[in-house]
Structures are given as structure tokens and as C-alpha cells.
Amino acid sequence: MNRRAAWITGTFILVILIGAGGWLAYDKLLRHDIPVYASDIDQFKYGSIGNDEANGLPYLIWRVLPTVFADHLPGPGGYASVGFLWEPGRDHSEAPIGFSHARVGFERMAINCAFCHVTEARLDANEQPKYYIGGASNTVNVLAYQQFLTACARDPRFNADVLLPAIEREVPLSFVDRLLYRFLIIPATRKALLQQGDQFAWADKRPTWGPGRIDPFNPVKFGMLKLSDDGTIGNSKMQVVWGLDARNAIRANAPLHWDGLNTSVHEVVVSSALGDGANAKGIDWNTTNRIEHILRTMQPPPSPIKTDAALVQRGQVVFAANCAECHAKDGARTLTAVPLAELGTDPHRDAMWTTQARDTYNNYREGYDWGFKSFQKMDGYVAETLEALWLRGPYLHNASVPTVADLLEPAEQRPRSYLRESTTIDQDRLGFVTGSCDPAHPPKQGFCYDTTQPGNANGGHLYGMTLTAEDKRALLEYLKTL
Ligand code: HEC
Ligand code: HEC
């Protein structure tokens, strides 16, 4: 071969190699395939909120962690032990409700709104549970999931020699994928999880959340907004997110969140996505606007509880006299914040949201001018309308009162602790079926809610206390129909 031919052949091979390398890099690290679902409900359950790249876990690692590190989970059953829900017919290797399974370079699993905004419920323990989209999650234990991921990353077994064989027992990998996982994806995932664990260390110093509760804004304050740890405890129950247009029809710019910290549905949707790890690069405004539309228009599910019509009628009168002012659609104080001094429920969640957090969030410009201007600071908690109350237990913003029957009793007579383990409706007392437990010796299964912990107090909201037993029974019957 003469020099010229060798040169041409060499260049040709080089071009092919660069092309193949470029294609591989594109295919393995840059290619985006983020599913968009035809139905709004599927989009809500499985669609991406723009956090796949910034916060998504590599799917194959996510899939084998519960097998390799079963000892770090709070119970048997893999991710079901931290309350993830799969619809009937879906395998546990597929996305549970509340996860987007998308490809951003490689396949990733990232949480979405349904992670915390779907309720599991059944009227009878023998029934198949139903999933109520837009309800407040009563199963997912976000802190336990977070702590599980941290424990995995801190475990010396989190390495390619252990994880790759576990992955290949489930899914065969190509030679290139094996190299990518060994030298890039597994070490980078471990590093990211360790960092995340360190960023979450503040949560270890506070009372645990249990299922259906998170501290919604301290992670944002100490992470995104870079404020220093102020020692506050924000533990609060997840909220229902349906019918947000109906709220604004009652009161223009009705305050959102338990303490009314923002008045704009749009800002709450966007800031929720940011709080869940989305960023300017990942957010797709079509999807974000679609989520907002879903929340604005979604209807609460009607109550399936059978009630006594005469009793309900009497209860409606009791409600009108004692509760309507704050909870009826035409109540003078409905969807306003009731000051703490008057209301008397646990003050911690209110104190967590500071004027400094408000100002910092309104000025948050990281990567994009988000245009936030509706974060505010109110005193107390918002009096919500009570639709689908049957699905919203345990009650109050911190989930401190297991049933509505308990809420109608003076604080001293409400349970000091209760076992949160069931998604069966307590049709008698209204709420979910709960058991009793001793916080000093919590059982292995279920979460023993201890009202003596800071943030968990069950006092206050002393309305209807002086009603006769018959009136309380009638009121409860009426509340079952909402
Ligand atoms: C990790 C759990 C979690 C995820 C994920 C989550 N939320 Fe929430 N959401 C909550 C909690 C908890 C509250 C109540 C927080 C508070 O005010 O204390 C809440 C409150 C809300 C509210 C206020 C409802 C009202 O009536 O005031 C809206 C709206 C909302 N979320 C929308 C979203 C959207 C949209 C997403 C997805 C982009 C999302 N949430 C993702 C936990 C979550
Ligand atoms: C002065 C206003 C006011 C009156 C009157 C009032 N409430 Fe409330 N209610 C509130 C506020 C504010 C909250 C939120 C408190 C919290 O979460 O700490 C609340 C919360 C609730 C909840 C819990 C909702 C949830 O999602 O957890 C129920 C149930 C409830 N009220 C029922 C009643 C009933 C029944 C009456 C009448 C006997 C009544 N309320 C009277 C203001 C009021």
C-alpha cells in the first residue's frame, strides 16, 4: 500500500471510529426518550415532571437495590415496604404509581406528583384496594425511602462487583453497557446518593415522618435556597390536590398549602416540581401546564359510605351552626388562615415557613427567572373545604388525630398514640382503621404515631366540643357523605 492509500484508509477508519464513538455517546448518554401519555391520569401517575436527569436513579440500579440491600429496608416485600403502589397487573420491576420511567441517556426512575398525591383505600379489608388519584398519599414513607438509598450508598457492597451480577440476573447487558455501568454509572450514582444523604442529615435530628407525611419545605430551605438549619420541624400530612379551580371560585387567590404560603396555583405547581428535583434544563412547560390543568379540573371522588338519611339531615343542620363558617363553600372564613392563638393546633409546621424563606423563594432565580412573587407568610392554618373527607384521614395538618370521631372530642380524650398501618376505611369513626401502640415499644409493622413528639401534638381545633352525643353522631354521619 502506498503512503497515500494508507493515509486515506487511516483517515477513513478514524472517521468511522469518531462517528461510532459519537453515536455511542449519543445513544448511551445523550438520547432522550421521555414518554408523554395520552390520558391525563396516566400522565399524572407515570409522566415526568422534569427531574429525570437531575434526580433520576439509573433504572437498573433502582431495580436491584431492594434485592441486594433487602436488609436496609424497613420490612419484607421490597419497595412495597416503603409504601410504593403498583396497579394490578404491573410487575414490581415496572414503575410504581408516582414514578416516571424515562430514558435520558440511560433509563432512569424519578418521582413525580403522584408519589405523594394518590390515596390507597378500600371499604373492607378483603376488597382489592382502589387508587384515588389526586388524594393525599397514606402509604408512601418518603423518609424511609431516602434513608434506604443513603444506607445502600454507604454500604461497601454498593460497587460494580456486586451490582453488575445482580443486574445481569435480571437483564442481560451488552459489553459497552457493562463498561458504562462499571466505570461511570455505578460510581456516579453512589457519589450522588452519598451527597444526598449528607444533605438530608438534618432530618435525622428531628422526629421521623412516617407514611403520608414529609417536611415539605425544610429540604428546599436547606438545599435549593441555601438557608442555614434553623432547627424548625415542618412535618406535615400530604394534601389532596383536586379541584383547585373550585377553591379559587370560592375565594379568588385562595391560599395554598396548610399554612397558606402561596396564593398562585401555577407557582405551587412549579415550585413543587423544583422541590422534587426538577430544574430549568429539565422542565417541559407543556407538561407542567398540563399538570396544572389536571389539578385545576380533577374532581374529588364521591363518598361510597352508606349513611342514614334522617341522621345526615340532622347532621347538616349541626354542621351549618358549628362548622360552616370555616368549612362550607359559602363560609365567611373558608379558605382563610385561622390564627394559631385561636386555633390551637400544633405550631411547628407554621413556624417552619419563615419570612426569610418567603423572601428567598420569591427571589429565587437559579438557572432561570422563575418569576415567583406569591410566596407569603400567614399566621395559622387554612380552613379547607371538606370534600371527600372519608379519604383524608388521619386528620389535621400533621395527621395527629386518627378519626373525625376523635377530632370531635376534647384533646385529652383523643388517642395519645395510634398505629398507622391500614388503608381500610373506618366507616364508623371516619378515617382509616388504626390500631393502638406504645411508642416506647413500637411494633415491627406499621408506624406508631406519637403525639408527644415535637410537631405531632394533637390539641386544638376545639370546635363542636359542647355538642350532645346525638348531635355529634349526626354531624359525623353528615361528614361521611362529603
Ligand atoms: C414528596 C411528596 C410530594 C410530592 C412528590 C409532591 N407533593 Fe404536593 N404536597 C405534598 C405535601 C406534604 C403537601 C402539603 C405541604 C404543606 O403545606 O405542609 C403538598 C401540597 C401540595 C399542594 C397544595 C394543595 C392545597 O390544597 O393547598 C399542591 C397544589 C401540590 N402539592 C401540588 C403538587 C404537584 C403539582 C406536584 C408535582 C410537581 C407535587 N405536589 C409533588 C407532598 C408532595
Ligand atoms: C374557626 C374556623 C373553624 C371552625 C369553626 C371549624 N374548623 Fe375545622 N378546621 C379549621 C382549620 C383552620 C383546620 C386546619 C387545622 C390544622 O390542620 O391544624 C381545620 C381542620 C378540620 C379538619 C381536618 C381536615 C383535614 O384534611 O385533615 C376537619 C375534619 C374539620 N376541621 C372539621 C370541622 C368540623 C366538623 C367543625 C365543626 C364542628 C369544624 N371543623 C369547625 C377551622 C375551623
Side-chain angles (χ1 to χ4, degrees), residues 107-229:
E107 288 177 62
R108 308 185 194 227
M109 297 295 272
I111 63 164
N112 65 21
C113 315
F115 190 57
C116 299
H117 292 297
V118 169
T119 314
E120 178 182 278
R122 54 186 140 197
L123 281 188
D124 186 286
N126 302 317
E127 266 173 25
Q128 264 296 328
K130 288 202 178 99
Y131 302 120
Y132 295 91
I133 307 305
S137 172
N138 52 343
T139 62
V140 70
N141 193 331
V142 179
L143 191 58
Y145 177 50
Q146 176 66 42
Q147 287 169 337
F148 167 70
L149 295 177
T150 307
C152 294
R154 288 184 182 154
D155 192 312
R157 289 173 292 165
F158 199 109
N159 64 53
D161 289 341
V162 174
L163 291 178
L164 271 181
I167 289 174
E168 294 211 74
R169 272 195 289 277
E170 311 255 335
V171 183
L173 291 181
S174 69
F175 175 69
V176 174
D177 280 335
R178 219 173 285 142
L179 289 181
L180 270 176
Y181 271 86
R182 175 172 291 278
F183 293 109
L184 197 68
I185 301 176
I186 292 176
T189 303
R190 180 169 200 203
K191 193 169 160 212
L193 288 178
L194 286 173
Q195 260 171 9
Q196 212 179 77
D198 292 344
Q199 274 169 10
F200 245 79
W202 59 269
D204 299 336
K205 293 181 259 162
R206 291 157 164 86
T208 191
W209 305 348
R213 295 201 317 166
I214 57 170
D215 184 327
F217 286 95
N218 270 335
V220 175
K221 277 162 58 186
F222 309 150
M224 230 172 81
L225 302 180
K226 304 198 169 57
L227 300 176
S228 49
D229 187 344

